[in-house]
Amino acid sequence: MLRRTARLLLSIVMLMAALTAGTLATAGTAHADGCYTWSRTLSQGASGPDVTQLQIRVGGYPGTGAVLAVDGDYGPATSAAVKRFQSAYGLAADGVAGSATFSKLYALQDDDCTPVHFSYAELNNCNSTWGGGAVSASTAKSNALRTMWKLEALRHALGDAPIRVTSGFRSYACNDAVGGASNSRHLYGDAADLGAGSHSLCTLAKAARNHGFNGILGPGYPGHNDHTHLDHRSSRYWSAPSCGI
């Protein structure tokens, strides 16, 4: 009888320990994110894949005319971009990416790492495999993700009203079908055409200058009177004469 009682008490103790451990494990991962979870505070001098992930998400805050390098090194430009991101969302703008900054990023991203207001489907209405373009499918998709985070920054700067994407990645076949240029940035997955809607095409073109786009083509540029084109070409080329750009 005593032995049975002892075993029962031991079982109860073990069950309670397991439940407590489960609760603690859950509490310890309460801030984990379905896409990506940062495990340390980041500031100038840091480097690594977690810095790269941060740079992708603050790539829309490089400052007017600038483009933030996604190189995994937390230098002055990354610190400045983080400050702008923090300021845009009412956080203490110290350039250090800690729990408050990460919490805001978690709130802004879906489990597939796209920002909440944009999707891979929006950036690819041509070839769902992301193949057949000028770069590998994985590179095209990665480029589109960076574009989406810049569009998220643009959207927020314009009051969080919806932005309408009319074209994104194109395979060579799709590009030929719509009469795209033979060297179109759409073939690389890093371009997005925006249609008028909540904002005029000129408003979009002007605001995009602050959000990391090297290529901006809009009204007044041949073939662009019905959309504003944004891309990540290697050097700056902005032309939207009807908008004063």
Side-chain angles (χ1 to χ4, degrees), residues 49-228:
D50 49 358
V51 176
T52 298
Q53 292 295 326
L54 176 66
Q55 290 170 328
I56 290 171
R57 288 156 181 76
V58 300
Y61 295 90
T64 302
V67 176
L68 180 65
V70 180
D71 57 9
D73 291 324
Y74 203 120
T78 298
S79 179
V82 170
K83 285 182 181 179
R84 294 186 189 96
F85 172 83
Q86 291 167 330
S87 180
Y89 284 97
L91 306 177
D94 57 7
V96 175
S99 58
T101 300
F102 296 143
S103 291
K104 175 50 66 175
L105 289 173
Y106 297 148
L108 285 173
Q109 67 184 15
D110 287 325
D111 286 352
D112 64 355
C113 297
T114 60
V116 292
H117 297 109
F118 297 92
S119 69
Y120 283 118
E122 284 182 277
L123 270 290
N124 183 355
N125 52 13
C126 166
N127 183 337
S128 60
T129 68
W130 296 87
V135 292
S136 69
S138 60
T139 297
K141 194 171 183 180
S142 175
N143 287 342
L145 181 64
R146 298 184 188 191
T147 298
M148 282 186 271
W149 279 102
K150 294 184 179 186
L151 291 176
E152 185 71 27
L154 175 62
R155 186 185 193 279
H156 186 61
L158 292 175
D160 280 318
I163 288 177
R164 186 166 64 92
V165 179
T166 60
S167 184
F169 168 73
R170 299 175 192 159
S171 65
Y172 279 106
C174 290
N175 191 59
D176 290 345
V178 299
S182 60
N183 61 345
S184 171
R185 293 308 305 182
H186 290 280
L187 296 166
Y188 296 82
D190 67 10
D193 290 347
L194 309 181
S198 302
H199 312 289
S200 71
L201 298 179
C202 283
T203 294
L204 293 167
K206 290 178 178 179
R209 295 175 295 181
N210 303 318
H211 297 289
F213 292 101
N214 260 342
I216 302 175
L217 305 175
Y221 185 82
H224 288 71
N225 287 326
D226 61 350
H227 67 279
T228 289

Side-chain angles (χ1 to χ4, degrees), residues 35 84 192 236:
C35 161
R84 294 186 189 96
R236 186 192 303 175

